[in-house]
Amino acid sequence: MAVDRDRVRTPRTVSNDFAAGLRGWLDAGRSLLTGLGITGRTAARTPVTVRYPAEKIRVSPRWRGALRLRGLLGHDEIPLISAEPPGYNAVIDDLYRGERLPPCVGNCPANVDARGQAFLIADDRIPEAYELVRSRNILPGVLGRICHHPCETACRRNYYDEPVAIRPLHRFAYEEYRKVAEERLTPLPVTREQTVAIVGSGPSGLAAAYDLMTLGYAVTMFEREPQPGGALNTGVPTYRLPRDVLYNEVNDLVALGLDLRLSTEVGKDVPLSVLMRDYDAVLLAVGLQESRILPIPGHDADGVVGALELLWAANHRGEAGLRGKRVLVIGGGNVAVDAARCALRMGAADVSLACLEGEDEMPCHPWEIEEALDEGVTALCSLGPKEVLTEGGHVTAMRMQSCTRVFDETGRFAPEFADEFTDVPADVIVFAIGQAAKLDDLLGGTELLVSGRGQLVADGTDFTTSVAGVFACGEVVTGPGSAIVSIATGHEAATSIHRFLEGRPTDDEHRVRRPVPVYARYAKADVAGVERTRLRAVMPMAKPEDRARDFRPVELGLTHLEAMAEASRCLRCQSEVCVGCTFCARTCPDYALQVERVDDPGIRCLTRYDLDLTKCCFCGLCAEQCPTNALTHTGQYELSFYHRDLMTFDKGEMLRDGGGTRATGRDGVLPPSCPTRPHRGGEDR
Amino acid sequence: MRIEELREHLCSVYPDLCPLFSVEFGDGTLTVPADRLFSAAQDMRDLGFDLLGMLTAVDRGETFELVYRVRSREMSAAIFLKTEVPRDEPRIPSLVPLWPAADWQEREVYDMFGIVFEGHPDLRRILLPDDWEGYPLRKDYADERIIRRPDYI
Amino acid sequence: MTGQAEACGVDAHLLQTGDELVVNIGPSHPSTHGVCRVIVHLDGEIVTHAEPVIGHLHRGIEKMAENRTYLQVVPLTDRLDYVGSMYANWAYCRAVERLAGIRVPERAEYIRVVMCELQRIASHMMSIGSTGADTGATSAFIYAFNQREQVVDLFEAVCGARLTYNYVRPGGVSFDLPDGWIEQCRAFTRSHPSAMVEIDKLLFGNVIARQRLKGIGVLPAEEAIARGVTGPAARGSGVDWDLRRDDSYSVYPRVDFEIPLGENGDAYDRGRVRLWECVESCRIIDQALAQIEEGPIKAEGLPRLLAPRPGEAYDHIESARGSLGVYLVSDGSVRPYRMHVRSPAFQNLSVLGYLAEGHTLSDLVVILGSLDPVFGEVDR
Amino acid sequence: MALVDDLGRALERTPGGGIILTSLDAVMDWSRGHSLWSMPMGTACCAMELIAASFARFDFDRHGTIPRADPRHADVMVVAGTITRKMAPAVKRLYEQMPDPKWVIAMGNCAVSGGIFYYDTYSVVRGVDEFLPVDVYIAGCPPRPESLQDAVLRLREKIRAESIAPGRSRPAKLVLPSPTDPRAGGVATADDGSGEG
Amino acid sequence: MSLLWGLLWGLAAVMLIAGGAIIGVWWERKVAGRVQMRYGPQQIGPAGSLQMIADVPKLLFKEDIVPEGADEPLFRYAPLAVFAPAAMSLAVVPFAAGWAPFDSTVGALFFLAVPSISVIGILLSAWASHNTFAALGGLRAAAQMVSYEVPRSLSVLSVIVLAGTLRPTDVMAAWEWWWIPLTFVGFLVFLISSIAEMNRGPFDIPEAESELVAGYFADYSGIRWAVFMMGEYGALIATSLFGAAFFFGGHRLLPGVGGIVAMVVVACAIITVVMWVKWTFPRLRADQLMAFCWKVLTPVALVQLLVAGVVAAWL
C-alpha cells in the first residue's frame, strides 16, 4: 500500500504542546529555527510561478472555456456517407472510430446513410436521396414497407422525444423516384470482361448484383419463379408489400444492365456445373424454400400445412381452402404472424397463434403482433405442440403442453414443459417454426459440401463455399433472418467475389470489417406536453376492421410536405453542424442561449443563435446535450471586455475559430459523453 | 437501547400516530400534531437523540409543514418529526431549550417562511436585511425584482 | 474604514454605548473568509459580546432550485460551498438518487469517493492556510495553497473546471477518468503527507503560533454536540463523530482510515485535526484507486428530464466542514418542489458568539478562522 | 486631486505646455499602469481565484499588483463574486473611500450581470455596473487567475489613454487586439473607442 | 556654520533614507517572493529593481484624502513625526574611523532615545485619523512601547560597558575582535527588540494586517502613506547600521576604506535576516509581546550585561 511506506502516521490525538520547564523553552527556540530553515530551503528552490504573458499553462483538453459552434445549418454542408462498394466498410469504420458515425447509420445492418437521406429530402433533392439509399439498400421501396427499422430504435431522438420516421422516408423517396425513374436510369458501363452468374433473385442476390455491376462486371441472374424477388415475392403477404413496388425496383436493376433470366431453374433447366464452367464466378443466393414440419404423431394428416406453402398460395392464388375453417398457426416468429393474418384475409372463421415463448418474449416484432391482435388473431402463449388429434385422416384438434421456460440460464434453446395438456380445436394447422433449404437438385453433380441437415457449407464472414469461385450469401448461409441482413451479406459477398476475380485472397488484413456498434439504451422520453412540431409524423393506417377483409395495403404513405417536415426533424447526429434542435437552450440553467429556427419544410435555417456570455455559467450541460457535437467549449479563458454589450455573441461570432485567441487551450474539446453516445468518453480529437 | 426496542417503544407510546420506522435503514418518521410537538421532542431528547440535525419548513399550500431531523449517536438512528402549522397564524413552540442547535435554524425558517417560534431567545431575520418585507420561500411570494426563468424545458 | 459602520446600516447610537466601544469587522475584511460582518463590543481590547451578521451572500439558491430541473440544480450546488463544490454536488445527487431510486454503478461510486477526498484536502488546505494568514504567517498560507493548486490541476484534468466542477450527476459522474490521471493522482498522494508534515512544523509547531492558537476559543464536547457543531470543528473537542465511518455510505466501508481527534477543543486542535485529516484522505484515495476497476460510470437509461415520484428524501455526506445534508421534496414534476441544504458551516458559525467572549480582538479573528466558515454555504 | 488637476489645466493653457503635458501623461500613465494596487472585494467563488492570482503559481506581484485590503492604499477595486443587495452599500462605500485615480474590474459573471443568479433571485444585484463605473469586465465562472492578469494588462492599455488634465484623453484602441478577436467578425463595435474621460 | 552643516546633513540623511526605502521595499518584495516560491516584481528594470520608480510617481499623484472629522493639521504632519526620528538616529552612526556625522559624547544614548519619539508620531496619526481601527492600533503601539525599549538599551549597554565610553567613535576605536562572540547574545536581544520597535516582523501588532487592516496609517493615502513607509525603512537602515557598528565592529573589520564597505555589507545581511523573520513567523499578540520582552529579553540582556561587566572589570 502506497501510504504505509512513508513514515507519516496519524497521531492518536492531535493536541500536543511543548514540555514544561527548560526543555520546553529549548524546543520552542528550536521550533523558531526549524521554521526559518523551512522558509530558507523554500527560498533556495526555484519558484513555481508561471510568468503569465510569456509562459501560459496548457489547459486540459476538457477545460470549459467560451462556447463555440463548429458548423451551422445552411452555412455548412452535411457530409454524406457514400463510397465505391469495396471501400464503404472502411468509411464506416473510421467514422465509428472517430466517434462521428450517427447511431442510425451504425445500427443498420447495411449501414444505410439515413442522415444523408433525411438531409437530402429536407433539401427537396429526393431522387438523389433515393439513389444514396439504393447504393446500400438495393430495394428502398420494398424495405420502406417491410424492414424492421433498427435505425429508428437507435435514433437519438428517442432520448429527446420521438424517433425520426426513417422507414416511411425510404418509401416516400421510392414514390417520388418513380416519377423521374426513366431519365435517371442509364445502364452501368461494363468495363471488365469477367462475368458473374447469380442464382436466385432475392434481396441478397440483387444487392450483390448491383455492387458487381457498379464495379463493371457483366452479371447474369437466374430465377426459378416467373417473377423476380425470391422470398419477397413468395413469402411476404401482398397487404404489406404490393408486388408492383418489387417488380419496379427489380426492373430498375435490369435497366441498369442486369441480364435477368426468369423461370429458369438452375439444377433442372441449367445444370450448376455448366454455370461454373461458363462464368468466372457463381453466387448461390437461393434462400430457404421449404418450411420445417415437427415430426410429431399425426403430422402427415391432411389439414397440416407448411407456412411457406400457405403464404405462396395466399400471394398467388389468393385462395387456400380455408373459408370458414378454424386455423391454428404454430410458431411465434414474423412468418407465423404473416401466415395468421393471411389466413384471416382468406376467410378463415377463427385464427389463433400458438408459440412456446411467453407474452413479452415473442420473437416477432412488437408492432407486428399488435397489428395482428387488432385484426382479431388470438395469441396462445407458452404452449408447445405435442400431438395432432385426427378423425378419419382429418385434423380435429391439437394437443398442446404448457411450457414453463424456453431458454436455460446460458441462453440456449432448451424448452422445459409442465405436464398439463390442453386440446385446441382446429381444422387446419399451419407450421411456421422455421424454414430449410432444398438443395438436392441444385447441387446435383457438383462437389459442393453439404452439411448433415442438408445446409450448404459456407464461410459466414467471406461467404465462400468449399469450391473456389462459388460463393453463397443470403438466408441460405445465415438462416432465417430479415431482408436488410440478407442485403448486407450480399454486399459482403460482392466484395469477396471482386477480390477473388482480382486474384487477391478474400480475407487479409486490408479487408475492413463492419464495426459492431454499441449504443446507450435510451429511457423512453415521456412526450406529455411536448409541442406538436417536435413529435413524429403520424403514419396513416387503414382501419383495423376493414383491413382484415382484403389484401389492400395496410400503411398509407406520407405526403410530400409531411415527409419534408419529418426529414427536417433529423438531428444530423455527429455531423458537427448545428441544426437548431434547441436542446442546448432548453437544458441551460441560466437561459444564456437563445436559439430560433425557421421550420417550414424545405427552407429550414437557424435565424438566431445568441450566447449571452455574461449569464453563461460554463457548466458544460449544453455541450453535453448537443447531439451533433456542433457546440463545444473552446480553450478560450482570456475573456475580458471593455463594454458589457460586447459580451453577447451572435450567430456569426459563434462560428469563430476556437483555437488560438490568446489562450493556449486547443480547440477540439470533445464534450465528454453526450448521454446518448457510446461510453468511450473520447480523448482529445 | 437497541433499534428494535426503540421501534416497540415508539409504537407503544404513540399508537394513534402510527409511526413508521425502518430498522434496516435506521430512520423513521413521526407525524405529530402541532400541540404535541414539544412533548414528543422532549421524549426524543430523553431517549438519547442528542443531535438536532436539520430543521426546515415546506410550504404545502394552506399549511406549512415543519420537518425536524433528530439523530442519536449511540443507536445511530434518526427520526423525522413532522408537524403542520396553519398558514394564516403560523406559531409553534421553539425547541431551543432542548437543543441550542435549533437557534439559528429557527431564525432562518422565520426569515424565509415567517413562522413564529414562541420562546426563541432572539427571533430576528438572519439572512435578509432587517428592513425586508415578505417571506421569500413562500410559494405566493410576489416580488417585482424577481425575473422568472422562462419555462423552456 | 471610517464609514464602515454606516456602510452596513449600523445606526450611530449603537457606536458609543457607555464605556464599551463597538467595532465593526466589516463585510469585506481580509480575514473574514468572505463576507461576514461581526459586531464586536470591546471593553478595551477584551471582547465582551460578538455577534456575527450574515446574509451578505444570500442569493436564494433554495428559491432558485424550485424553478430548475433536477439536472439544472447541479451547477447551483457548485456555488453553495465554493471551496468544496464536489461535496455539494455529491450530497445533492445522493438525495436525488434516493428520491428517484437510481442505482449508481460501482466505478462511479469509487470515482466519487476519490474526488471528494481530494476535495477534502483542497478545502482543508484553504482552511489551514487561512489560519496561518489570520495569525500573520502568509508564507504558510502560500505553501498550503500550492498543495491546493496541485489538487485543482487534477480536477481540471478530469472535469474541465478549477472550482465549479458540475461533475457529479444524479446517476453517476459525467466524465470518465482520462488515461494517465490515476498515476498523476498517486504521485500527489505520495508527496502530500510529507508536505503536510512540513506545514505542521512551519505553522503549528511554531512557538508563536502555538501561543496564538492554544487555549483560544475552547469548545467543550457536550456544548459542541448541543449546538449541532459537526466536522473538524467538533472533532477538535474530542467528539468522535464522522459520517464516513458512523453512517458509512457509498464505498467507505471498504476502505479503512482513522479519525484524528483533538482533546481540548481550541483553535489549535481544530487546525491540526484538519491537517491530519488530509493525510488520512491520502490513504483513502490510495486504497480506492487500488480497488477501482473498469465499468460504466453512469446509471443506464436515465431519461433526459428526471421526474421522480412524489415524496421526500434526505441524504447527507461528511464534507470538509461537517455533515452536509440535502432535503428534497418532489411533487412528481421535473422540478424539485422544495430543496433545503443543511449547511454545516452555518451551524458551526453559530458558536462564534459563545466562543469569543473574554478573548482579545486578534483572537476573535483566529476563532472565526478556526471554525472555517464558507459564506456561500452559510448564506445559501 | 485638486492640485494635480489645476497643474494639468495650467499646462494645457500655457503655449508650450501641451508637449510637457503629453510627456508627463506618458510617464504618469506608465507608472499608474505598472503599479496597480488592487483592493480585493472578494465575496464568493471568484475570491478563490483572486487569492490564487496573487499567490505562488500565478504571481500577481510580478505585474506590480499588490493586494491591499485598505481602500485608501488601493487603485483598482476588483469586484469578485456575487454582490447581493445587502452587500451593495458596503461595496459602494468602500469604492468612495478609494483615492481618486481609481478603476473597477468586474471579475466573474456574477459581478458582470448576476451570471447564474440572474433569474429567480430576489436578493442579487444584476451586475456591479448598476452602482459602480466598471472599466474591465471579465467573463468566466470563475475566470482563471490568468484571465484576471489579462484584465490587468487590458486595464493598462485603457489607462494609457487617460491624462492628468481632466477631459483630455487620447483615443485608445478599445477593441481587443486579440488575433481572432470575438468581435472581429465585421460587426461594428459599440463605439469607436473615442474613450470619454 | 554648524546650522548650515546640520541642514546639509539633514538633506543627506533624507536622501539616504529615500534611496534606502526604494531599495528596501524592492528587496522586501523580492525576499517575500522567494520565501513564498514566487518571483516578486520582475517587469521594470533588471529583476524588477526599478519597480518603486513606477510606484513613487503614482503615489505622488494620488488624491490626498483627509477624512472628514479628522484633526486637519495633526493629520497632515503626523507622518513626519514618525519619519524624523529615523533620520535623526542616523546622525550618530560611526561610519569611519573617528568620524560620525554628529559625533557627540552621548551618541549611543542619543541613538537609543530618539526612535521612541516615533511612537508619539504613531499616536498622533492614530488620534488624528478619527478611525476606530487606527485608534486601536495606536493604543497598542503605546502600550507595548516600554516593554521593548528596556532590553534594547541593556543590550547596547553591555557594549558600552566594555568600551567604557558613550561616544560611538571611541567605542569603535576601543573595539576588540573577541567582543563579537562575547556580545553576540546581546546582539540577538538588540535585533529582536529593534524589530519590535520598528513594528515589523512577528511584532507588527499596531498595523496587524489581518485584524486592524492597516492599523494607524489606515486612512493615509498616497504620498503620506509613503512617508510612513520611508520612516519604517529609515529606522530599519539606521538600526542595522548601528547594530553592524556596535556589535560587529563596523569599519574596524577591514582596514581603510574597506571598513565602510564591510559595515554596509553586514548591515544588508541584518536587513535580510529581519525580512526573512517577518515572512516566516506569525504575529504575536500585544500582551504576549510584552510578556516576552519582560520575561525573556530583559533577563537575557541583564545576564549579558553582567558578563560584559565582569569581563570589563577583569580587564
Side-chain angles (χ1 to χ4, degrees), chain A residues 451-527:
Chain A
S451 75
R453 291 171 47 245
Q455 295 298 44
L456 180 69
V457 167
D459 177 338
T461 55
D462 293 357
F463 302 98
T464 55
T465 59
S466 49
V467 171
V470 178
F471 299 84
C473 69
E475 286 184 344
V476 73
V477 174
T478 60
S482 70
I484 192 71
V485 172
S486 320
I487 289 176
T489 58
H491 289 299
E492 292 303 317
T495 320
S496 300
I497 292 173
H498 177 58
R499 295 172 76 92
F500 169 75
L501 291 181
E502 280 187 341
R504 281 185 291 157
T506 56
D507 185 13
D508 52 15
E509 69 287 356
H510 299 303
R511 177 159 185 169
V512 177
R513 294 286 172 213
R514 252 179 0 85
V516 178
V518 171
Y519 287 104
R521 200 168 49 76
Y522 310 128
K524 265 274 156 267
D526 99 63
V527 282

Side-chain angles (χ1 to χ4, degrees), chain A residues 73-338:
Chain A
L73 191 68
H75 178 275
D76 297 285
E77 268 309 306
I78 305 281
L80 301 180
I81 307 174
S82 65
E84 278 313 305
Y88 195 81
N89 282 355
V91 166
I92 293 290
D93 191 49
D94 60 37
L95 278 181
Y96 180 65
R97 198 163 293 126
E99 282 221 358
R100 302 164 78 100
L101 182 66
C104 48
V105 177
N107 217 19
C108 167
N111 294 122
V112 172
D113 181 7
R115 176 182 72 182
Q117 171 209 314
F119 169 67
L120 291 172
I121 289 181
D123 239 7
D124 211 355
R125 292 148 62 184
I126 299 164
E128 286 173 53
Y130 180 82
E131 270 151 11
L132 174 73
V133 171
R134 191 181 57 191
S135 70
R136 279 308 279 182
N137 158 13
I138 189 67
L139 304 162
V142 170
L143 274 107
R145 286 172 171 73
I146 61 163
C147 185
H148 66 289
H149 50 74
C151 47
E152 289 181 13
T153 351
C155 171
R156 187 159 293 157
R157 274 208 89 124
N158 281 305
Y159 177 73
Y160 294 110
D161 29 56
E162 278 182 340
V164 176
I166 298 172
R167 187 179 69 171
L169 287 180
H170 286 333
R171 170 183 172 146
F172 167 75
Y174 161 79
E175 278 143 18
E176 284 301 310
Y177 189 71
R178 280 279 57 85
K179 300 171 185 146
V180 292
E182 291 71 24
E183 72 268 15
R184 290 189 78 96
L185 284 172
T186 56
L188 296 171
V190 176
T191 56
R192 298 169 195 257
E193 67 292 342
Q194 290 130 326
T195 59
V196 178
I198 300 181
V199 182
S201 68
S204 53
L206 292 168
Y210 181 77
D211 272 9
L212 292 170
M213 281 195 295
T214 41
L215 287 170
Y217 292 98
V219 179
T220 324
M221 182 176 276
F222 300 90
E223 172 48 47
R224 186 181 51 178
E225 297 292 324
Q227 297 93 0
L232 298 178
N233 183 24
T234 56
V236 180
T238 48
Y239 60 82
R240 277 179 58 211
L241 174 59
R243 286 303 176 260
D244 59 346
V245 175
L246 179 62
Y247 302 148
N248 285 339
E249 295 212 306
V250 176
N251 294 338
D252 288 355
L253 268 184
V254 170
L256 286 177
L258 172 69
D259 170 8
L260 177 63
R261 300 204 181 122
L262 292 174
S263 47
T264 54
E265 180 159 356
V266 173
K268 280 209 184 70
D269 317 339
V270 177
L272 187 56
S273 44
V274 166
L275 285 191
M276 288 160 67
R277 199 180 63 252
D278 294 352
Y279 292 87
D280 300 315
V282 176
L283 174 62
L284 304 178
V286 290
L288 304 167
Q289 291 76 22
E290 60 174 12
S291 52
R292 189 177 296 121
I293 309 284
L294 265 184
I296 55 173
H299 72 277
D300 46 8
D302 83 354
V304 173
V305 168
L308 289 189
E309 288 74 14
L310 178 91
L311 288 173
W312 193 85
N315 291 342
H316 288 285
R317 275 188 275 103
E319 184 47 56
L322 301 180
R323 278 264 171 257
K325 292 215 179 80
R326 286 166 308 176
V327 177
L328 170 63
V329 179
I330 309 293
N334 291 315
V335 174
V337 174
D338 283 348

Side-chain angles (χ1 to χ4, degrees), chain C residues 22 29 54 57 96 114 132 201 254 278-279 301-303 319 335 372:
Chain C
V22 172
H29 188 281
I54 57 173
L57 201 54
V96 172
V114 168
K201 283 207 208 101
R254 302 184 199 153
C278 292
V279 175
L302 277 182
S319 86
R335 294 183 175 84
D372 186 15

Side-chain angles (χ1 to χ4, degrees), chain C residues 51-377:
Chain C
E51 194 234 341
V53 175
I54 57 173
H56 292 280
L57 201 54
H58 174 65
R59 301 153 290 195
I61 285 187
E62 292 175 358
K63 178 84 177 175
M64 286 172 69
E66 283 161 13
N67 191 21
R68 282 181 173 41
T69 66
Y70 281 93
L71 184 63
Q72 286 172 346
V73 173
V74 175
L76 276 184
T77 55
D78 276 335
R79 272 87 189 164
L80 269 180
D81 169 1
Y82 43 78
V83 179
S85 27
M86 208 57 96
Y87 297 118
N89 279 356
W90 195 11
Y92 169 74
C93 288
R94 279 182 64 80
V96 172
E97 279 145 19
R98 180 173 278 211
L99 189 62
I102 304 170
R103 209 194 61 73
V104 179
E106 192 74 8
R107 182 176 170 86
E109 282 295 350
Y110 272 106
I111 293 181
R112 284 178 172 181
V113 163
V114 168
M115 288 303 153
C116 274
E117 289 310 320
L118 281 173
Q119 184 69 88
R120 189 185 309 277
I121 295 176
S123 170
H124 282 334
M125 285 305 105
M126 173 60 76
S127 150
I128 292 168
S130 56
T131 314
D134 294 345
T135 52
T138 39
S139 305
F141 196 178
I142 290 185
Y143 293 171
F145 218 81
N146 284 344
Q147 296 294 319
R148 181 182 157 86
E149 281 294 328
Q150 292 174 26
V151 173
V152 162
D153 279 352
L154 286 174
F155 283 146
E156 190 192 324
V158 169
C159 39
R162 282 169 57 87
L163 215 65
T164 51
Y165 310 114
N166 188 12
Y167 176 60
V168 181
R169 295 287 166 68
V173 280
S174 52
F175 311 142
D176 206 340
L177 301 181
D179 31 22
W181 188 85
I182 291 186
E183 288 69 33
Q184 197 183 346
C185 185
R186 283 230 173 83
F188 169 72
T189 47
R190 254 199 303 282
S191 71
H192 184 68
S194 34
M196 280 299 101
V197 165
E198 183 182 275
I199 288 183
D200 189 19
K201 283 207 208 101
L202 175 67
L203 186 58
F204 291 107
N206 194 309
V207 62
I208 300 177
R210 283 199 177 167
Q211 279 183 348
R212 280 299 301 276
L213 293 172
K214 285 194 93 56
I216 304 296
V218 177
L219 179 65
E222 59 292 335
E223 199 60 41
I225 296 169
R227 287 175 184 268
V229 177
T230 54
R235 284 195 282 278
S237 327
V239 173
D240 189 356
W241 175 251
D242 186 328
L243 289 182
R244 291 178 295 174
R245 184 195 56 196
D246 301 332
D247 211 0
S248 187
Y249 51 93
S250 177
V251 287
Y252 276 109
R254 302 184 199 153
V255 289
D256 64 10
F257 53 93
E258 281 155 35
I259 311 286
L261 289 178
E263 268 159 15
N264 16 21
D266 50 17
Y268 181 81
D269 284 1
R270 288 192 279 271
R272 278 203 95 215
V273 158
R274 290 197 182 93
L275 188 125
W276 286 105
E277 264 187 13
C278 292
V279 175
E280 282 312 305
S281 295
C282 285
R283 285 188 59 203
I284 295 175
I285 292 171
D286 279 340
Q287 291 167 54
L289 287 182
Q291 295 169 14
I292 205 170
E293 69 275 324
E294 289 312 311
I297 53 166
K298 204 182 270 188
E300 260 309 316
L302 277 182
R304 184 170 83 92
L305 294 175
L306 201 61
R309 51 160 173 77
E312 51 165 42
Y314 174 82
D315 211 330
H316 53 201
I317 58 166
E318 177 70 28
S319 86
R321 273 152 206 78
S323 83
L324 169 69
V326 172
Y327 176 68
L328 268 180
V329 175
S330 113
D331 57 356
S333 74
V334 287
R335 294 183 175 84
Y337 182 76
R338 164 84 165 109
M339 176 178 105
H340 173 69
V341 178
R342 190 269 180 203
S343 141
F346 178 80
Q347 203 61 40
N348 297 356
L349 189 61
S350 61
V351 295
L352 179 67
Y354 163 79
L355 289 182
E357 254 86 14
H359 291 280
T360 68
L361 189 61
S362 15
D363 293 340
L364 170 74
V365 168
V366 168
I367 296 167
L368 182 62
S370 73
L371 295 174
D372 186 15
V374 173
F375 285 92
E377 189 187 68

Side-chain angles (χ1 to χ4, degrees), chain D residues 35 61-62 70 72 75 100, chain E residues 29 55 58 62-63 218:
Chain D
S35 88
D61 198 0
R62 279 183 36 259
D70 182 349
R72 290 285 195 254
D75 306 326
D100 206 14
Chain E
R29 281 167 75 175
D55 291 348
K58 181 207 78 171
K62 264 305 217 199
E63 176 192 359

